[in-house]
Amino acid sequence: MATVTDGQSRSPDSVREFTLGAVPGGHADDEPLSLRCSVPAEASRAPAVRRLVAEHLAGLRLAAGQREDAVLATDELFANAVRHASTGSHDTVTVTLEWSAGTLRVTVADPSPARPRPGTADPLAESGRGLAIVAALADDWGMAPPRPGAAGKSVWFTLRRRSGTTP
């Protein structure tokens, strides 16, 4: 088990644990990898989520820029979940990364059943472009209902390995 932190001192109850399905860098390229972590639904946790995703994807053979695209798209979905779906101080957001057969699928689950609504942001607005960014970076994206027995929803995107991969 490992913990997700943002470098700030936190009480043990504020840090969530996760289990790595496999360790990046020491696997065959087509070997499935998975990561699932639950993080408090707090904007201050975004840097830790970005680092975790970047570290987990470091060993995958993705085209130049695809790792960065995955981190940015995950960050956008995490920010949306915190901003639009968090309803209480004990809410968590669950981030899942799955790599299989040259395809990365990232899912961000939150406690709100409200469907994400892509919008058109005012050119001077500082927010409102998250889903447009995800759509531009990903090969596909969408929303799914929660797992059985869970509340909320999941928003996901996929990236397929492109030519020009790097180790």
Side-chain angles (χ1 to χ4, degrees):
M1 295 297 254
T3 55
V4 177
T5 65
D6 55 3
Q8 299 176 2
S9 176
R10 303 277 185 188
S11 70
D13 293 336
S14 68
V15 177
R16 302 292 184 236
E17 294 185 333
F18 66 89
T19 302
L20 289 173
V23 178
H27 65 281
D29 190 39
D30 290 327
E31 180 181 325
L33 288 173
S34 64
L35 165 87
R36 181 183 170 114
C37 66
S38 292
V39 181
E42 301 168 359
S44 66
R45 298 303 178 119
V49 170
R50 287 191 301 270
R51 281 191 304 273
L52 178 67
V53 171
E55 289 170 7
H56 193 69
L57 298 180
L60 299 182
R61 294 179 146 275
L62 293 169
Q66 279 192 293
R67 282 186 214 101
E68 293 82 5
D69 290 350
V71 172
L72 177 57
T74 304
D75 188 51
E76 292 296 337
L77 293 184
F78 181 79
N80 283 351
V82 169
R83 184 173 194 180
H84 301 292
S86 178
T87 60
S89 62
H90 290 88
D91 285 345
T92 60
V93 175
T94 300
V95 178
T96 305
L97 281 70
E98 300 167 290
W99 170 261
S100 182
T103 299
L104 173 67
R105 180 182 175 100
V106 177
T107 305
V108 177
D110 63 57
S112 171
R115 296 177 60 92
R117 294 185 327 253
T120 303
D122 180 276
L124 300 177
E126 293 183 12
S127 64
R129 295 174 187 81
L131 292 176
I133 291 169
V134 171
L137 297 174
D139 292 314
D140 196 12
W141 76 277
M143 189 202 74
R147 293 184 331 267
K153 66 169 169 318
S154 297
V155 182
W156 56 267
F157 69 87
T158 59
L159 289 172
R160 287 182 293 283
R161 179 178 47 215
R162 295 185 181 100
S163 61
T165 60
T166 58

